[in-house]
Structures are given as structure tokens and as C-alpha cells.
Amino acid sequence: MRTYIGYCLEAVVIILAIDISYGLFQDTSAFGSVSEVVGVVLGICEYCLPMITACACVKGADTVVRRCLGLG
């Protein structure tokens, strides 16, 4: 039963992590006019950073939930 609850809580933590990580980078286009090269780099970072933070949060969700429930 604790394992099932752990998986359910892990899904909730993953949903929250993805929501928070994409919310953090939602308004990153606040940079004014910049040169083309810098604009391209910022555009790439605008797409990559939410994915990287979401992956890190999802990867850590398992550890956090298992430690909270004392599953190992």
C-alpha cells in the first residue's frame, strides 16, 4: 500500500515540478533588442532550460517521495 501511495505522490510531484519549471521560464523573452547571435543563443536557452529543469525535477521526485515515506 505504501508503494502504491508512493507512486501516486511521485506523479503529483512530477506534475508540480513540470508546472513550476515551465512557469519559471514562461516570460524569458524580456530581453530587449539584442544582436542576432545573442538572440539565437537566448532563443536556444529559452527552449532548453525548461526541459533541463523539468528533467532534473522529475529525476529527483523519486528520491524525495521515497525518503518522505521511508521506502528506502
Side-chain angles (χ1 to χ4, degrees):
M1 186 65 160
R2 283 177 32 176
T3 304
Y4 176 72
I5 292 172
Y7 286 131
C8 292
L9 286 176
E10 188 176 333
V12 170
V13 170
I14 288 170
I15 291 168
L16 287 173
I18 290 173
D19 187 41
I20 290 170
S21 65
Y22 279 96
L24 287 174
F25 297 102
Q26 183 176 359
D27 295 324
T28 56
S29 59
F31 302 106
S33 72
V34 293
S35 70
E36 261 185 58
V37 175
V38 174
V40 169
V41 171
L42 289 175
I44 291 170
C45 290
E46 188 175 337
Y47 289 113
C48 292
L49 285 177
M51 289 182 227
I52 292 170
T53 55
C55 289
C57 292
V58 168
K59 185 131 175 98
D62 180 51
T63 305
V64 169
V65 170
R66 294 208 179 274
R67 284 186 183 167
C68 287
L69 294 177
L71 294 174

